[in-house]
Amino acid sequence: MDQALADVTVVNLGRTWRHSFAELGPAFHTELRPTPLPQPHLVSLNRPFAAELGLDPSLLATPEVIAAFTGNALFAGSRPLASVYSGHQFGVWAGQLGDGRAILLGGLETPLGVQELQLKGAGRTPYSRMGDGRAVLRSSIREYLCSEAMHGLGIPTTRALVVTGSPQPVRREEVETAAVVTRVAPSFVRFGHFEHFSARGQEDELRRLADYVISEFYPQCRDPGERLAGNRFAALLEQVSERTAAMVAQWQAVGFCHGVMNTDNMSILGLTIDYGPFQFLDSFDPGHI
């Protein structure tokens, strides 16, 4: 065993991990372990989704795996990290942001292709700013339910695999208890990842990120043809814009309102991401905010 892991339990899912985002280099992330929580317990396991991922639901419900989904143990082959990004929030440039309470474990090889697993509420990171790095049970259940509802409606979204809880108190408007939701997507790269390097004039990193996204998710953009003068980056922008517009149109069709639709909460894959404040309209109101 690696000496760095000597003091932590390692849990084996029996699956192969991939770490393409981590391989972009340290300018893109900080590697760190999740922060443990006391007395973790299973709140809910999405058994049908686990089966889609080729994972044994009975294994995922064991105390050892529940501990790993809470951040108290490590999955063998995972490579936990928090990524850095920037963004515009409510129309104002907010500067550097990043995964303030989310830890990316890596990409797991599944029948659905490589799917990244991320622990939301797994503790403080270098990008937490004034936050505590935690999520509460109430909001974690909301994300779990709503992301799966959106998937059921056929709307592109991140998905939820597991919610675990802990009696550790977390202070919000009142004292609540902590929870961690494991969310799943092919990638968690956001618009804000591109803004981060663009705003800093880091063109090499910006180009590396764009080429990574094209290689992994938009291979059709490698040779866009004469219409875009062979510019793969223009082709990527066009593809991401179209996917995002289609997703927002689907939101409008069901009355879904994303409460924090900032550039740090927009997926380059056109997925609904970051279920913080949100709601569904009971009736059509074109002026609703």
Side-chain angles (χ1 to χ4, degrees), residues 21-173:
F21 183 82
E23 290 165 1
L24 287 171
F28 295 83
H29 59 77
T30 299
E31 296 196 33
L32 76 166
R33 297 182 198 167
T35 304
L37 283 168
Q39 300 173 250
H41 62 272
L42 179 64
V43 175
S44 186
L45 167 62
N46 190 340
R47 292 176 178 272
F49 186 34
E52 289 179 50
L53 296 172
L55 298 171
D56 179 2
S58 62
L59 173 64
L60 301 190
T62 62
E64 295 79 14
V65 176
I66 292 169
F69 281 129
T70 310
N72 294 21
L74 291 179
F75 288 112
S78 66
R79 188 175 169 182
L81 61 84
S83 70
V84 62
Y85 46 82
S86 298
H88 283 82
Q89 296 185 329
F90 310 106
V92 177
W93 175 242
Q96 179 179 304
L97 301 167
D99 291 327
R101 57 176 176 166
I103 303 284
L104 177 68
L105 301 180
L108 202 63
E109 289 191 352
T110 80
L112 302 178
V114 176
Q115 298 288 313
E116 292 187 344
L117 271 62
Q118 186 183 71
L119 305 183
K120 183 177 179 180
R124 295 196 68 189
T125 78
Y127 316 113
S128 297
R129 296 184 290 173
M130 300 300 292
D132 60 13
R134 291 302 183 191
V136 299
L137 181 59
R138 168 185 49 83
S139 62
S140 299
I141 290 173
R142 279 165 51 89
E143 172 155 352
Y144 180 95
L145 292 176
C146 190
S147 60
E148 286 305 293
M150 295 286 274
H151 173 73
L153 289 166
I155 298 173
T157 180
T158 60
R159 299 194 61 187
L161 178 61
V162 179
V163 176
T164 64
S166 165
Q168 177 166 308
V170 176
R171 295 186 179 276
R172 293 295 183 261
E173 288 80 6

